[in-house]
Amino acid sequence: MSFIEIKNLNLNYGDFHALKDISMDIEKNEITAFIGPSGSGKSTVLKCLNRMNDLIDGCVITGDILINSKNINDNNIDINSLRKNVGMVFQTPNPFYKSVYDNIAYAPRIHGIKDKDKLDEIVETSLKKAAVWDEVKDKLNKNAWSFSGGQQQRICIARTLSVNPKVILMDEPTSALDPISTGKIEELAMDLKREYTIIIVTHNMQQAARISDKVAFFLSGDLIEFSETKKIFSNPENKKTEEYITGRFG
C-alpha cells in the first residue's frame, strides 16, 4: 500500500472543472515532482494534500486522498493535525516578521510545548536539518527577514520541520532564488527524503530531472502521465509529455 493514495479526485471552482478524475499513488521517502504548464492543475493537486483549497469559496472536491491509510477528505478529520503532518513550503520565502528562533518555535508553542530546553532543542535540530544552522546559530535573535532569500527559504523549511511532519509539500520553492541558493535547496530536499515524503511543484525541467524519483505531468486538469523520472525524461509514453519536456509548448 502506498503512503499517499489519490483516488478519483475531482475539483470544481464553481462551473470550472479544475481537476479531472486524478488517481495516483505516491511512495514514502521519495521525491515526486509535479510538472506542467501554468494552469495545468499541479499546484491545485498539491494544495488538496493539506486541504488548503478548503479556504477558497465555491470550491467543491470529490474523491479520496489517503495519507498513511487515513482519508483526509473525511468530515471528521482534524485540519490542524493534518497540516502538522503535511507541511507546506511556498514559492516566495515567507518567514514571520520575528526572530529566527521565534519562527521555528512558533508552531511547537502552539502545539503546547513551553519548556525552554525542549524548544531550544527543536530550534537547533530543525535548523540543522534545513542546512542553515551554521549560518544563523549566532543570530537566532535577529529578524528572519534580514537574511538572504535562500537563507529565508531554508528558515521556512526549518519552520515546517519543527513539528515533525510526515510529508513536505513544496510549491516552486526555488523560483524566487538564485542558482546557488537553488542548488542548496535541491541538495536539502534530497537529504530530507530519507526522513520525509516530499512532493515538489516545479516549472524547471532540469530540477525535476535532477532531484525527483517520480514525475507527474499535468495538463488542463488531467494527469497525463505518471512514472519514474528516468522514464519520463528518456522514454515518455504520451506524446504530449514529450512535447512539454522538450519545450515545444508550455
Side-chain angles (χ1 to χ4, degrees):
M1 186 179 292
S2 299
F3 190 62
I4 299 173
E5 299 172 78
I6 301 173
K7 300 177 179 179
N8 308 115
L9 179 67
N10 285 271
L11 184 146
N12 286 71
Y13 299 119
D15 294 333
F16 176 58
H17 195 178
L19 296 178
K20 303 164 189 170
D21 214 31
I22 306 292
S23 293
M24 62 193 304
D25 290 344
I26 294 170
E27 301 304 327
K28 193 173 186 178
N29 301 116
E30 288 190 348
I31 299 176
T32 302
F34 288 0
I35 64 170
S38 296
S40 61
K42 57 192 185 297
S43 288
T44 305
V45 175
L46 193 77
K47 289 170 185 168
C48 286
L49 296 171
N50 67 350
R51 300 229 344 216
M52 282 192 69
N53 293 310
D54 290 17
L55 306 170
I56 300 169
D57 288 341
C59 178
V60 177
I61 298 170
T62 60
D64 298 321
I65 298 174
L66 279 71
I67 298 180
N68 210 10
S69 302
K70 285 186 182 168
N71 192 342
I72 68 165
N73 286 345
D74 281 352
N75 290 329
N76 62 355
I77 204 85
D78 179 344
I79 297 291
N80 288 329
S81 175
L82 170 65
R83 291 183 184 147
K84 177 177 178 285
N85 282 314
V86 184
M88 185 93 175
V89 178
F90 294 92
Q91 184 170 357
T92 304
N94 63 340
F96 303 137
Y97 196 74
K98 298 172 180 285
S99 70
V100 173
Y101 187 98
D102 285 341
N103 264 272
I104 312 306
Y106 181 83
R109 283 173 176 149
I110 283 180
H111 289 285
I113 296 173
K114 299 284 186 274
D115 180 74
K116 175 79 165 60
D117 289 343
K118 182 65 178 164
L119 287 170
D120 288 351
E121 182 187 332
I122 289 169
V123 169
E124 181 173 343
T125 301
S126 301
L127 290 166
K128 280 180 173 173
K129 282 184 178 180
V132 73
W133 170 252
D134 288 343
E135 294 158 62
V136 303
K137 63 184 177 185
D138 299 322
K139 304 168 186 171
L140 294 178
N141 293 321
K142 203 172 170 184
N143 194 305
W145 282 37
S146 65
F147 293 88
S148 72
Q151 289 169 323
Q152 286 185 33
Q153 191 66 302
R154 281 179 285 142
I155 289 167
C156 291
I157 292 170
R159 187 178 65 193
T160 298
L161 299 177
S162 69
V163 289
N164 202 23
K166 305 284 188 294
V167 179
I168 303 171
L169 309 178
M170 296 183 163
D171 195 359
E172 295 190 58
T174 62
S175 64
L177 303 180
D178 63 83
I180 290 171
S181 298
T182 295
K184 286 182 179 177
I185 300 285
E186 289 180 2
E187 281 178 32
L188 174 57
M190 289 189 282
D191 281 343
L192 289 174
K193 79 172 183 179
R194 291 197 292 256
E195 285 186 64
Y196 308 94
T197 302
I198 297 173
I199 303 165
I200 182 169
V201 167
T202 181
H203 273 111
N204 184 327
M205 294 302 98
Q206 290 81 13
Q207 182 171 76
R210 277 193 299 266
I211 72 170
S212 68
D213 298 285
K214 295 200 177 76
V215 171
F217 170 53
F218 294 90
L219 187 63
S220 304
D222 288 305
L223 175 58
I224 303 297
E225 190 165 351
F226 178 46
S227 190
E228 290 183 0
T229 300
K230 190 173 178 181
K231 185 174 188 313
I232 290 281
F233 282 97
S234 63
N235 188 27
E237 289 185 1
N238 193 294
K239 190 158 176 51
K240 288 177 182 171
T241 311
E242 183 185 358
E243 288 174 351
Y244 180 70
I245 62 176
T246 54
R248 275 176 266 175
F249 77 92

